[in-house]
Amino acid sequence: VVKDDDQYLHSYKFRDDAGKLLTSHGGIWLLELKKFHAQHIDSEQERWLQFFKDGKTLNDNNGLPEWMGTEEMRQAMNTLRQFSEKEKNYFAYQARQDYIRQQNSIRLDSERKIEQERIEKEAALLEKEAAIQREQAAIQREQAERSAKEAALAEIEELKAKLKNQSS
């Protein structure tokens, strides 16, 4: 913003320190749209300035102002509409991608939960199998001890019988 200046259009040219113009075809134009206030649009320059200032509020569906009646302004509105549609399409695309990512996240969370439940059930089943194996091992030890006792008792009975036969 150029302070202390009510002009809305500033034109700067490329010059060297001596003031010699580099080229007559280049420059920088600074448009201060906040300073532009036209009651009537009388020139092509004012038409473009008004378009830059009000372009985002213009809607050709509701009718355009009279100053927009030139072929250039119709082309500008067409370009503006195309940009707007591209932006709407872009945001619709982004919303769709966000939805897909969200659904994939939900699906992955569900799959993870199902997998975790499967792992927990498998761990519980393995623990039950281990408990059964420990129980079976204890039973086998008891049976082995009982068999050993029965064999010892049978041997004692056999020895008693031999003693009795020797004493008689």
Side-chain angles (χ1 to χ4, degrees):
V1 176
V2 179
K3 296 185 179 185
D4 301 326
D5 187 350
D6 292 339
Q7 295 296 313
Y8 56 82
L9 179 62
H10 307 278
S11 177
Y12 300 96
K13 301 288 182 184
F14 299 117
R15 298 181 186 275
D16 66 9
D17 291 340
K20 184 177 175 188
L21 190 63
L22 175 66
T23 178
S24 62
H25 300 291
I28 297 174
W29 290 269
L30 177 63
L31 308 173
E32 293 189 80
L33 298 177
K34 289 182 180 180
K35 293 181 181 179
F36 177 73
H37 305 288
Q39 299 297 328
H40 298 286
I41 306 300
D42 297 323
S43 69
E44 195 64 23
Q45 182 184 58
E46 289 176 344
R47 189 178 330 279
W48 280 105
L49 286 166
Q50 193 67 40
F51 177 75
F52 292 147
K53 187 173 182 177
D54 296 338
K56 65 180 169 185
T57 62
L58 296 173
N59 185 341
D60 55 357
N61 293 333
N62 298 334
L64 294 172
E66 187 177 311
W67 59 267
M68 288 286 297
T70 67
E71 180 59 29
E72 289 84 9
M73 289 294 111
R74 283 190 285 279
Q75 287 177 358
M77 280 304 295
N78 186 39
T79 301
L80 190 62
R81 187 180 324 100
Q82 288 175 354
F83 282 139
S84 176
E85 287 172 7
K86 283 182 182 179
E87 185 178 30
K88 287 177 189 172
N89 290 339
Y90 170 77
F91 286 122
Y93 170 78
Q94 287 300 326
R96 176 72 178 141
Q97 291 301 101
D98 289 344
Y99 174 78
I100 290 170
R101 279 190 286 276
Q102 183 182 34
Q103 294 303 309
N104 285 340
S105 177
I106 290 169
R107 181 181 53 78
L108 287 174
D109 287 347
S110 177
E111 288 174 358
R112 284 186 197 119
K113 184 178 178 183
I114 290 169
E115 180 65 12
Q116 185 63 33
E117 289 172 355
R118 186 191 65 75
I119 289 170
E120 288 171 3
K121 286 179 183 176
E122 191 174 296
L125 183 60
L126 288 173
E127 181 57 37
K128 283 181 184 177
E129 288 176 359
I132 290 170
Q133 287 176 353
R134 286 189 300 271
E135 218 174 275
Q136 288 175 343
I139 290 170
Q140 287 175 350
R141 280 191 304 275
E142 287 176 9
Q143 287 175 345
E145 288 172 6
R146 190 176 305 122
S147 294
K149 281 181 184 179
E150 288 174 359
L153 287 174
E155 190 176 336
I156 290 171
E157 289 300 320
E158 190 179 307
L159 288 172
K160 282 181 185 179
K162 282 184 184 182
L163 279 172
K164 191 175 179 185
N165 284 340
Q166 286 179 354
S167 9
S168 13

